[in-house]
Amino acid sequence: MKYSIGVDMGGTNTDLGLVSANGNIVQRRNLPTNAYTDFSLYIRDFMREVDAMLADQQAIDGEPLTLEGIGVGAPNGNFYTGCVDNAPNLTMKGVLDFGKEIHKYRDVPVVLSNDANAAAYGEYVYGGAKGMKHFIMFTLGTGVGSGVVVDGRLVHGSTGAAGELGHAILYQHGRPCSCGREGCLETYTSARGIVQTYCELKGIPVSADVTSKMIGELAHQGDPVALKTWETVGDQLGLAMANAVTFSAPEALFLMGGPAQVGEPLLKPLRAAFEKYLLNIFAGTCQIRMSELKANEVAILGAAALLKMK
Amino acid sequence: MKYSIGVDMGGTNTDLGLVSANGNIVQRRNLPTNAYTDFSLYIRDFMREVDAMLADQQAIDGEPLTLEGIGVGAPNGNFYTGCVDNAPNLTMKGVLDFGKEIHKYRDVPVVLSNDANAAAYGEYVYGGAKGMKHFIMFTLGTGVGSGVVVDGRLVHGSTGAAGELGHAILYQHGRPCSCGREGCLETYTSARGIVQTYCELKGIPVSADVTSKMIGELAHQGDPVALKTWETVGDQLGLAMANAVTFSAPEALFLMGGPAQVGEPLLKPLRAAFEKYLLNIFAGTCQIRMSELKANEVAILGAAALLKMK
């Protein structure tokens, strides 16, 4: 049997999964990323988990297995270099060369990209974007990420850092962003941005007690300020999505991540705004869809999917 | 010798050129597009001009020539269908199928795209984008067009209409656009948008007596309102360009068209704004450059270049 390893490297945890050829995660392990300051020790333990999953699976299958490669999704992951470069949220500093370090243990293909690109490719290989040639994935979470597929290929651009639509400026001179600029989409449609909008509409100071999940629950209970919050967010995201369509004329825009789970309170105004802001020549050519992958699987499946890239 | 035909189909005129293998326009002809309401008569006369150019060139070369194909750049030109669909500025109505009609006369490859896409591809094959894998062309004129190249391929998207960055919304609830929406980049950085900004700054009504060329000349004479106009336009275009970089991380953004000819009064504030609005991870990775093709050659060369597409 053939398997690949998909790795979701976050600042706190690293989730590893053994993925079967048809896209099932058959084994899972994890590692506390933030317990490491030495990258070679991290990879040593990482490969121990890989070996343990392979051994367990071989015992289950009762026959030798083939490992097709290791795919890694990581913040600041660069597809071209195969490195994570100075990620601000990692305890391991500098340039982390996954391929070089992994190859000390196993001679298998290693592919790396950032987490949103991996999610987009996971949707393409295993999810709702199967068979599509042009689509864009928007991931709403702590930040807003995106992955762009054009002609069936993930767009990495000249630097490897393409697909940063969360940092397209939606409002010139808008909210300050963690990137040092103002008005980025992320400052409005990330979990934090949504909380800020709610607190502004409510006239209360932004506090850690308010979460986007809570605003979602309030909306389902009919709370008018919560509903207005999602309307505002839907309008902003709809505008950003309509603008993205002018670039690559995709068949679909996919949405995933915690805040997107609220469902209709966001999706209804989002679809209305998208139609309103969409250039007429694109009317009816592009759908907004939810990711079809499970929230706790998409990162691992996406990372494994990177190995399928042409 | 091998030649191709490049055709720039505008609402008023159709310019045809015979292009040598190394990108020189060796013969030119034209046809009054707006004199035709019947597409088959238009193509009949169009092919007469093609035949005349081929005959003239054969006489000059003193040997038989090979025609590699006919490339057409046209407003509303759709790469996938090879048709111009209901272009609002043409006297010929309906769906104009160039390939089908031309093949009644000659069995040669026919490729068609919109004018901005053709310009982008011309820059790639014959101009300053040679050897680049990722770049975007912005054409400033009556409208604002764009052509996007990703991984060395022109992006047509799922519908054939990708690369409409002139209709990305820069300011929500901004100036009304001819497309029926508000705030499109085109309403600020097209010739008409620039005139409007000048008139607003000057406090005079918009009139046909004011042209973007005149505002360019005034700027070079040190006129403060004209200089302020180009500063404003540079800031707006710089913001749009910085946003475009988040999509495909291009090596360069090219600029062409009448208003761009003003030079430094636009380029200086444009470059400053671009740097200001660019996400830090892209700093130093993307240049703003002027098209290296001659203004009166780019459309024909771009159309001919479409034949080189993989």
Side-chain angles (χ1 to χ4, degrees):
Chain A
M1 303 270 274
K2 289 181 177 179
Y3 295 93
S4 49
I5 302 277
V7 181
D8 172 25
M9 186 205 204
T12 310
N13 270 293
T14 298
D15 291 319
L16 300 96
L18 187 67
V19 178
S20 68
N22 55 359
N24 290 317
I25 303 176
V26 294
Q27 302 267 344
R28 295 183 82 129
R29 298 269 172 153
N30 74 65
L31 212 58
T33 321
N34 58 5
Y36 295 87
T37 52
D38 183 329
F39 182 59
S40 60
L41 288 182
Y42 168 77
I43 291 294
R44 184 199 62 189
D45 293 354
F46 173 113
M47 290 308 292
R48 283 183 184 160
E49 301 299 341
V50 168
D51 290 342
M53 287 195 289
L54 294 174
D56 285 1
Q57 193 58 32
Q58 199 151 310
I60 292 168
D61 292 351
E63 53 171 300
L65 56 76
T66 309
L67 179 60
E68 304 211 272
I70 298 175
V72 182
N76 292 44
N78 187 306
F79 175 72
Y80 295 128
T81 63
C83 296
V84 172
D85 297 352
N86 299 300
N89 63 341
L90 292 185
T91 45
M92 292 175 285
K93 295 304 172 195
V95 174
L96 314 181
D97 189 333
F98 275 75
K100 193 175 157 192
E101 209 57 37
I102 288 172
H103 288 149
K104 292 180 182 167
Y105 299 86
R106 269 186 189 263
D107 184 25
V108 290
V110 175
V111 183
L112 182 140
S113 193
N114 81 38
D115 36 3
N117 284 346
Y121 216 69
E123 201 69 35
Y124 181 60
V125 174
Y126 300 117
K130 253 183 221 171
M132 289 188 181
K133 292 198 130 189
H134 300 268
F135 71 93
I136 305 174
M137 169 67 79
F138 286 82
T139 68
L140 308 187
T142 315
V144 172
S146 68
V148 179
V149 169
V150 163
D151 278 325
R153 292 142 57 106
L154 205 45
V155 177
H156 284 104
S158 65
T159 65
E164 283 290 352
L165 301 185
H167 291 285
I169 294 173
L170 188 68
Y171 299 123
Q172 192 177 20
H173 315 307
R175 289 182 180 168
C177 185
S178 60
C179 73
R181 300 174 311 146
E182 292 173 335
C184 295
L185 176 64
E186 173 162 313
T187 66
Y188 298 94
T189 66
S190 65
R192 197 182 310 182
I194 295 164
V195 166
Q196 185 176 340
T197 298
Y198 174 82
C199 293
E200 284 172 7
L201 288 170
K202 191 93 183 165
I204 59 173
V206 175
S207 102
D209 296 342
V210 182
T211 65
S212 63
K213 193 166 179 222
M214 186 192 302
I215 302 167
E217 285 160 5
L218 285 169
H220 283 288
Q221 292 158 20
D223 179 274
V225 177
L227 286 167
K228 181 73 190 159
T229 300
W230 292 109
E231 257 175 54
T232 306
V233 173
D235 190 68
Q236 292 159 335
L237 188 57
L239 173 56
M241 284 181 156
N243 279 347
V245 171
T246 65
F247 205 100
S248 64
E251 288 150 81
L253 303 166
F254 285 87
L255 197 54
M256 60 169 274
Q261 300 305 317
V262 67
E264 283 307 304
L266 170 62
L267 291 177
K268 204 177 154 197
L270 170 61
R271 291 201 170 104
F274 180 66
E275 274 183 41
K276 183 171 71 174
Y277 296 123
L278 194 65
L279 182 62
N280 54 3
I281 59 168
F282 297 115
T285 69
C286 180
Q287 298 180 309
I288 295 177
R289 292 172 57 175
M290 290 296 292
S291 165
E292 294 182 10
L293 298 178
K294 289 183 193 137
N296 67 343
E297 295 196 343
V298 59
I300 285 175
L301 288 178
L306 293 173
L307 292 160
K308 311 256 183 199
M309 227 163 358
K310 277 152 268 174
Chain B
M1 305 268 275
K2 289 181 177 178
Y3 295 92
S4 48
I5 301 276
V7 181
D8 173 24
M9 186 205 204
T12 312
N13 270 294
T14 298
D15 290 319
L16 301 97
L18 186 68
V19 179
S20 68
N22 56 358
N24 290 318
I25 302 175
V26 294
Q27 302 266 345
R28 295 184 82 129
R29 299 268 172 157
N30 73 65
L31 211 60
T33 320
N34 59 6
Y36 295 88
T37 51
D38 183 329
F39 183 58
S40 61
L41 288 182
Y42 169 77
I43 291 293
R44 183 198 66 187
D45 292 354
F46 173 111
M47 290 308 293
R48 282 182 185 163
E49 299 300 341
V50 167
D51 290 342
M53 287 195 288
L54 294 173
D56 285 0
Q57 192 59 32
Q58 200 151 310
I60 291 168
D61 291 353
E63 53 172 301
L65 55 76
T66 310
L67 179 60
E68 304 210 272
I70 298 175
V72 182
N76 293 42
N78 188 306
F79 175 73
Y80 295 128
T81 62
C83 297
V84 172
D85 298 350
N86 299 301
N89 63 340
L90 292 186
T91 44
M92 291 174 285
K93 296 304 172 196
V95 174
L96 314 181
D97 189 334
F98 275 75
K100 192 176 159 193
E101 208 57 38
I102 287 173
H103 287 149
K104 292 181 182 166
Y105 299 86
R106 268 185 189 265
D107 184 25
V108 290
V110 175
V111 184
L112 181 141
S113 192
N114 82 37
D115 37 1
N117 284 347
Y121 216 69
E123 202 69 34
Y124 181 60
V125 174
Y126 299 118
K130 253 184 221 172
M132 289 187 180
K133 292 197 133 189
H134 300 269
F135 71 94
I136 305 173
M137 168 68 78
F138 286 82
T139 68
L140 309 187
T142 315
V144 172
S146 69
V148 179
V149 170
V150 163
D151 278 325
R153 292 141 58 105
L154 204 45
V155 177
H156 284 104
S158 65
T159 65
E164 283 289 353
L165 301 186
H167 290 285
I169 293 173
L170 188 68
Y171 299 122
Q172 192 177 20
H173 315 308
R175 289 181 180 168
C177 185
S178 61
C179 72
R181 300 174 311 146
E182 292 173 335
C184 295
L185 177 63
E186 174 162 312
T187 65
Y188 298 93
T189 66
S190 65
R192 197 181 310 183
I194 295 165
V195 166
Q196 185 176 341
T197 298
Y198 174 82
C199 292
E200 282 172 7
L201 288 169
K202 191 94 183 166
I204 58 173
V206 175
S207 102
D209 295 343
V210 183
T211 65
S212 63
K213 192 165 179 224
M214 186 192 301
I215 302 167
E217 284 159 6
L218 285 168
H220 283 288
Q221 291 158 22
D223 178 275
V225 177
L227 286 167
K228 182 71 190 162
T229 301
W230 292 109
E231 259 175 52
T232 306
V233 172
D235 190 68
Q236 292 159 336
L237 188 57
L239 173 56
M241 284 181 156
N243 279 348
V245 171
T246 65
F247 205 101
S248 64
E251 288 151 80
L253 303 166
F254 286 86
L255 197 54
M256 59 168 275
Q261 300 304 319
V262 66
E264 284 307 304
L266 170 63
L267 291 177
K268 206 178 152 194
L270 170 62
R271 292 201 169 103
F274 180 66
E275 275 184 39
K276 183 172 71 174
Y277 296 123
L278 194 65
L279 183 61
N280 55 3
I281 59 167
F282 297 115
T285 68
C286 180
Q287 299 179 308
I288 295 178
R289 291 171 59 174
M290 291 296 291
S291 164
E292 292 182 11
L293 298 178
K294 289 182 194 139
N296 66 343
E297 297 197 342
V298 60
I300 285 175
L301 288 178
L306 294 173
L307 293 160
K308 310 255 182 199
M309 232 167 351
K310 277 153 269 174

